[in-house]
Amino acid sequence: MKYSEYKEQQEKRLNIAIGHLENGVDFADIATAYIDDSVVIGKGTFIGPCVTLEGNTVIGEDCRIYQNTRIKDSKIGSDVEVQSSVIIESSVGSETKVGPFAYLRPNSNIGEKCKVGDFVEVKNSNFGDGSKTAHLTYIGDADVGENVNIGCGVVFVNYDGTNKYRSTVGDDAFIGCNTNLVSPVTVEDGAYIAAGSTVTKNVPGGALCVARAKQRNIEGWAAQRGLYRKKK
């Protein structure tokens, strides 16, 4: 690229940002905003530094799009907070919080008043209003109902090496930490999954599912193998 072409491109980018500024959008640093001319942003929305908004993206009013976020071909409701995350070909409902460091892959539909927290990845899934997944979770090919709590380290095991399968979690369900949901499986409304479970069968509504191996302690095992010595 020639310097003259670069300057022309930078001027165009700045003019796009200025247009949004004049329409009521706030910027931390207008010089570091990367916004395509096809993007729509509502009044009162704040754009942080080094934010990239691409394609047919629509962002509602009074949102907070913080630094180092990339949003492409997605629809974001009003009063949404996104921190340092990537959203591609997906939708996020109003009053939802995303990130930091979340990844919404194509065809992810997040409802209103949800929480998709740090190091959560969602792919080709629906996530109902009021549901929360705070951290370290993979939700792939799933339909999650309303007001569901998904604990830390939960994995929707959707791929067997050949085919991908879909799972369903009903309204008001509680999925404990470090649970594996081996698709296809259904967790019905109001069911609870105990932490550390690997679920391979459907769970009835209101039931508690415990799917763990029984704990066994072998005394002296480490010492017998020279792996552990008590301090004198």
Side-chain angles (χ1 to χ4, degrees), residues 73-113:
D73 294 328
S74 297
K75 184 176 181 180
I76 310 298
S78 296
D79 295 300
V80 171
E81 179 182 298
V82 182
Q83 296 193 53
S84 303
S85 296
V86 176
I87 302 173
I88 308 293
E89 297 174 20
S90 295
S91 65
V92 177
S94 296
E95 299 181 60
T96 284
K97 295 183 177 181
V98 177
F101 315 120
Y103 184 17
L104 304 187
R105 291 166 60 187
N107 199 30
S108 296
N109 301 298
I110 310 301
E112 298 183 353
K113 298 182 179 179

Side-chain angles (χ1 to χ4, degrees), residues 7-207:
K7 285 205 68 175
E8 182 180 346
Q9 185 182 77
Q10 292 297 91
E11 184 177 349
K12 179 182 178 181
R13 181 170 65 84
L14 184 59
N15 286 336
I16 290 171
I18 290 172
H20 287 292
L21 184 67
E22 292 174 343
N23 288 328
V25 177
D26 192 19
F27 291 86
D29 183 358
I30 199 168
T32 63
Y34 296 81
I35 304 173
D36 287 352
D37 56 8
S38 53
V39 172
V40 177
I41 307 175
K43 292 181 180 179
T45 287
F46 167 81
I47 305 296
C50 300
V51 167
T52 300
L53 306 176
E54 303 173 68
N56 297 317
T57 291
V58 177
I59 297 176
E61 298 182 350
D62 300 314
C63 294
R64 311 285 291 178
I65 312 298
Y66 290 105
Q67 65 269 12
N68 302 320
T69 290
R70 180 190 179 210
I71 304 175
K72 180 181 180 181
D73 294 328
S74 297
K75 184 176 181 180
I76 310 298
S78 296
D79 295 300
V80 171
E81 179 182 298
V82 182
Q83 296 193 53
S84 303
S85 296
V86 176
I87 302 173
I88 308 293
E89 297 174 20
S90 295
S91 65
V92 177
S94 296
E95 299 181 60
T96 284
K97 295 183 177 181
V98 177
F101 315 120
Y103 184 17
L104 304 187
R105 291 166 60 187
N107 199 30
S108 296
N109 301 298
I110 310 301
E112 298 183 353
K113 298 182 179 179
C114 292
K115 169 68 175 176
V116 178
D118 49 291
F119 305 104
V120 172
E121 180 176 351
V122 184
K123 172 262 198 183
N124 189 31
S125 296
N126 300 306
F127 201 67
D129 294 346
S131 290
K132 295 177 174 60
T133 176
H135 36 224
L136 300 168
T137 290
Y138 173 66
I139 301 171
D141 301 302
D143 298 297
V144 178
E146 298 182 359
N147 301 311
V148 172
N149 185 88
I150 296 181
C152 175
V154 171
V155 176
F156 285 71
V157 186
N158 60 328
Y159 185 49
D160 66 0
T162 303
N163 298 305
K164 293 187 178 180
Y165 300 93
R166 199 164 189 88
S167 283
T168 300
V169 177
D171 296 343
D172 304 304
F174 185 98
I175 313 299
C177 295
N178 294 318
T179 290
N180 295 307
L181 296 169
V182 183
S183 303
V185 73
T186 297
V187 179
E188 296 183 358
D189 293 355
Y192 277 65
I193 310 295
S197 293
T198 294
V199 181
T200 59
K201 298 178 181 179
N202 293 346
V203 181

